[in-house]
Amino acid sequence: MNPFAGNAQAAVDGQKLFSVSCAPCHGKNGEGAQGQAEGMRPPDLTRGVFKAGRRDEDLFRVISDGVRGTEMPSFKSLGADQIWRLVAFVRKLSAVAPVLNGNPAAGEALFWGKGDCGRCHQMGSRGNRLGPDLARGSRRSNAENLKKAIVDPNDDITPGYAIITVVTRDNKTISGLERWLDNFSARLVDESGNEHTFLRDEVTSVTREMRSTMPDNYSKIFNEVDLNDLVAYIVKTRSEANSQ
């Protein structure tokens, strides 16, 4: 049993450890930062679903021993207390705050209607895959973080969803969401969902912008009630998807 379970200060201390030891691969929010570790796809820790098992002891074992055959190393050198603090923080990543006064049915109507969120996002079998799958990718599980992501999408860009702009040798400019970028090639998906791949020697320039393709005017389109309803719909759908 984690001796720091439910200890708020331990989770804060664990976050500091996480930012140094884990964030280079997992990202500062634990969502699996493929953009920060080229070619690596660490699991999304914010979903609260772990291959190692559901118990704190299982998380402790993975952090302490590492995972053979993967990029996950052993952190046994941190010591037991520090590892337990990391476990406390990882648990906090997947803690979903209740949505007060949110109406999921009204949120669903806003999501597919006025917000036109399905133009980029997938929810279950509906929508498009240009943006993150909101039903499965629960990187912003806290209700307040979800609201902030809606009204201020540029504050924290999901790794792998930055904007890449490529200028070809025949002076064509193509922009889209990053799917891969290294010293040799770039792959992006344009707003129509078409994928483009370029070798570095085929283009004159490749630039990456850490900004979101989401509209930045949702704070004007949605009032507080609307935002609560939207978040309620996302959380409800996500909970149903993760329970399957």
Side-chain angles (χ1 to χ4, degrees):
M1 180 179 293
N2 188 349
F4 299 109
N7 185 320
Q9 184 57 50
V12 171
D13 295 339
Q15 182 175 13
K16 295 175 182 177
L17 289 167
F18 189 94
S19 66
V20 174
S21 301
C22 312
C25 292
H26 288 282
K28 68 177 183 179
N29 296 311
E31 74 285 351
Q34 68 184 58
Q36 297 177 20
E38 298 290 355
M40 299 166 59
R41 294 178 180 271
D44 181 355
L45 302 179
T46 67
R47 293 185 62 188
V49 179
F50 310 105
K51 290 183 178 180
R54 298 183 178 183
R55 303 177 306 159
D56 283 2
E57 291 84 349
D58 298 321
L59 292 176
F60 181 96
R61 185 182 68 255
V62 167
I63 297 171
S64 178
D65 298 341
V67 180
R68 182 176 299 178
T70 75
E71 296 89 352
M72 177 66 186
S74 166
F75 288 95
K76 188 171 294 183
S77 61
L78 291 176
D81 282 356
Q82 297 292 64
I83 293 175
W84 281 125
R85 289 183 173 93
L86 275 172
V87 172
F89 174 66
V90 170
R91 286 299 190 194
K92 186 178 178 181
L93 286 173
S94 59
V96 179
V99 181
L100 301 177
N101 302 319
N103 183 329
E108 181 177 9
L110 290 168
F111 187 96
W112 300 105
K114 184 164 65 172
D116 195 23
C117 308
R119 182 170 62 88
C120 295
H121 293 287
Q122 186 174 18
M123 288 287 269
S125 60
R126 299 174 64 186
N128 294 309
R129 296 183 178 181
L130 190 59
D133 183 345
L134 297 180
R136 293 285 181 181
S138 56
R139 69 179 297 256
R140 301 177 194 244
S141 54
N142 180 276
E144 288 304 315
N145 287 344
L146 279 168
K147 289 164 96 172
K148 185 174 183 179
I150 294 169
V151 300
D152 188 9
N154 291 310
D155 178 68
D156 184 16
I157 306 299
T158 300
Y161 288 93
I163 295 175
I164 292 180
T165 300
V166 173
V167 179
T168 64
R169 292 193 178 279
D170 55 357
N171 209 33
K172 291 182 179 178
T173 300
I174 302 174
S175 295
L177 290 175
E178 174 188 346
R179 287 297 179 262
W180 180 266
L181 181 63
D182 61 16
N183 292 329
F184 306 100
S185 64
R187 186 165 69 246
L188 60 87
V189 178
D190 64 26
E191 62 182 6
S192 299
N194 300 313
E195 188 171 285
H196 304 267
T197 301
F198 303 91
L199 296 177
R200 286 280 190 168
D201 58 8
E202 296 176 338
V203 303
T204 58
S205 68
V206 179
T207 58
R208 173 196 274 156
E209 298 177 74
M210 295 306 294
R211 63 180 177 87
S212 176
T213 57
M214 276 183 62
D216 58 4
N217 63 343
Y218 280 150
S219 61
K220 299 177 181 178
I221 294 176
F222 299 127
N223 58 34
E224 189 67 17
V225 173
D226 291 337
L227 290 171
N228 283 337
D229 291 344
L230 270 173
V231 171
Y233 169 59
I234 294 170
V235 171
K236 178 176 182 291
T237 305
R238 177 175 297 160
S239 177
E240 292 172 348
N242 288 339
S243 66
Q244 293 176 356

